[in-house]
Amino acid sequence: MNKHTYINFNNKTILITGAAGFIGSNLAFYFQENYPDATIVAFDMFRNEDTFSNGNLKSFGHFKNLLGFNGVVVSGDINDKDALKDLEESYTFDYIFHQAAISDTTVQEQDLMIKTNVNAYEDLLKIAIKHNANMIYASSAATYGDSDTFEIGYEQPNNAYGFSKVMMDNISYKYIKQNVDISIVGLKYFNVYGPREFFKNSTSSMVVQFGHQILKGLTPKLFEGSDKILRDFIYIDDIIQANIKACSPKKSGVYNVGTGKARSFEDIVNILQKELKIDNGKEYIPNPFVGSYQFFTQANINTTKENLGYEPQISMEEGIKAYIPEIKRLFATEVK
């Protein structure tokens, strides 16, 4: 019995790319905990010291996100045709959850961004079609960029990452139009937070970053007017729910995954200080990004509810409360 689906994933073979990352690792444990007889193949590039020109790591995959995982772990690059061929020949997948991507929006290497996010996705999609495996992949709210309408069809990306995700969605539409035998679902994640995001370093959510600032005794720094900077923050459990429901959609397509309720950065700090029982006050600093900064994001989730049966379960208050023990554990063991 499972709360998200009637599908029995036991004895199914599941590929998760980017499985040592934030969302991929949470998916791996979801299947391990609920379907002990599923074969879970966790594919990830894992980190090394390589960095992009912006100084950030090329891969955030971290073994610590998979501590306790007992499925198959494969280290590989989704751009490596031989690695994909090997997956294609070694397994017959029933479901593919494609989370691997260059997800850093500040990466300037457009060539590698397109190769990794767009071209490798199509290679993987061809395997899915060959194996008759339903495809669920990570799109992104970054596709909306400068748009003020957060609905499919109003994408206006303002960086190479957002552009690459629009191109992934376009590839999906192309195959959906061809009436392939599998379902293909793209999920546009909004601002996700929760356990196993810590190793994304500076790209992890402000929930964990503010949490650790507060525990350090620092005063959280907010941009001026941050009570009016609103985002659709979504807890990891709701992201997992959407992925599982996307395995048997009423209709293939691309869907927003958020809560449908925008909240402020101010709210995050207030809830954290309340839950941590620490009040370090707040400091307001000028926003250096005015002009290139999203002041508001809020997912329209009507079609997501309709075609995936998705219903956000977790409010920001509940999500942060659930996350607190992990924020404290990370602070004690990882924050230097």
Side-chain angles (χ1 to χ4, degrees):
M1 160 60 200
N2 191 279
K3 60 185 175 182
H4 297 324
T5 181
Y6 62 85
I7 300 171
N8 183 359
F9 291 99
N10 281 318
N11 305 312
K12 300 290 186 200
T13 303
I14 297 159
L15 173 64
I16 302 170
T17 69
F22 174 27
I23 292 166
S25 58
N26 277 285
L27 273 168
F29 283 104
Y30 171 86
F31 286 113
Q32 177 167 299
E33 284 155 17
N34 292 287
Y35 303 99
D37 296 325
T39 299
I40 309 159
V41 180
F43 184 87
D44 199 282
M45 199 163 121
F46 288 92
R47 64 182 57 199
N48 57 25
E49 295 309 303
D50 291 353
T51 55
F52 291 113
S53 58
N54 65 5
N56 292 346
L57 288 177
K58 282 194 174 173
S59 173
F60 290 129
H62 201 299
F63 80 91
K64 285 188 177 178
N65 284 332
L66 288 173
L67 284 174
F69 176 67
N70 52 30
V72 182
V73 175
V74 180
S75 174
D77 183 341
I78 50 168
N79 293 318
D80 178 350
K81 305 274 185 191
D82 291 336
L84 292 189
K85 192 96 197 113
D86 199 39
L87 284 175
E88 185 184 330
E89 289 170 357
S90 305
Y91 300 95
T92 305
F93 296 112
D94 296 290
Y95 298 92
I96 295 179
F97 293 87
H98 178 43
Q99 310 295 321
I102 296 174
S103 60
D104 182 340
T105 57
T106 61
V107 165
Q108 298 302 316
E109 285 82 346
Q110 298 185 19
D111 52 347
L112 196 56
M113 182 77 80
I114 302 305
K115 188 187 285 182
T116 307
N117 292 4
V118 185
N119 306 140
Y121 167 59
E122 188 158 13
D123 292 340
L124 211 52
L125 190 51
K126 286 173 179 166
I127 296 174
I129 292 164
K130 207 175 266 187
H131 285 194
N132 206 23
N134 284 357
M135 169 64 84
I136 301 92
Y137 72 92
S139 182
S140 171
T143 52
Y144 293 115
D146 295 325
S147 177
D148 52 6
T149 305
F150 302 96
E151 285 175 40
I152 309 302
Y154 291 88
E155 292 81 1
Q156 229 179 299
N158 55 11
N159 55 44
Y161 170 69
F163 171 79
S164 74
K165 292 291 180 174
V166 172
M167 294 304 110
M168 284 176 80
D169 297 341
N170 289 348
I171 288 168
S172 301
Y173 293 133
K174 181 180 88 176
Y175 283 91
I176 291 166
K177 270 204 188 101
Q178 293 169 9
N179 289 320
V180 290
D181 288 338
I182 61 167
S183 60
I184 302 171
V185 175
L187 299 173
K188 290 192 189 293
Y189 303 145
F190 277 68
N191 289 60
V192 192
Y193 66 98
R196 302 193 178 93
E197 67 168 320
F198 176 76
F199 296 106
K200 288 170 66 180
N201 301 1
S202 65
T203 66
S204 61
S205 78
M206 289 315 298
V207 178
V208 71
Q209 294 192 50
F210 279 139
H212 288 157
Q213 285 172 25
I214 293 162
L215 287 168
K216 271 183 189 149
L218 302 172
T219 300
K221 287 185 170 62
L222 289 156
F223 290 143
E224 288 164 349
S226 67
D227 55 328
K228 297 190 179 58
I229 301 176
L230 308 174
R231 292 271 190 285
D232 195 329
F233 295 98
I234 174 167
Y235 191 58
I236 185 66
D237 289 12
D238 275 334
I239 292 286
I240 299 304
Q241 178 208 157
N243 272 274
I244 300 310
K245 292 195 166 157
C247 291
S248 55
K250 272 190 201 160
K251 199 172 152 194
S252 287
V254 182
Y255 300 100
N256 284 334
V257 185
T259 61
K261 291 189 176 72
R263 301 289 301 266
S264 71
F265 286 100
E266 188 101 6
D267 287 340
I268 292 178
V269 170
N270 292 341
I271 297 166
L272 279 165
Q273 302 214 95
K274 177 176 169 260
E275 291 296 336
L276 289 166
K277 299 182 176 57
I278 300 171
D279 187 354
N280 295 340
K282 282 172 279 201
E283 188 185 327
Y284 295 94
I285 57 172
N287 185 344
F289 306 112
V290 172
S292 64
Y293 194 73
Q294 281 180 305
F295 280 84
F296 179 80
T297 66
Q298 181 171 282
N300 179 333
I301 53 176
N302 294 340
T303 57
T304 324
K305 291 176 169 184
E306 194 181 322
N307 292 326
L308 301 186
Y310 163 80
E311 198 59 62
Q313 308 281 333
I314 298 158
S315 69
M316 190 195 268
E317 283 75 5
E318 293 164 331
I320 292 178
K321 191 184 174 84
Y323 194 6
I324 290 287
E326 178 61 3
I327 289 174
K328 287 180 173 169
R329 186 193 71 78
L330 286 165
F331 186 73
T333 58
E334 298 292 344
V335 178
K336 301 289 178 275

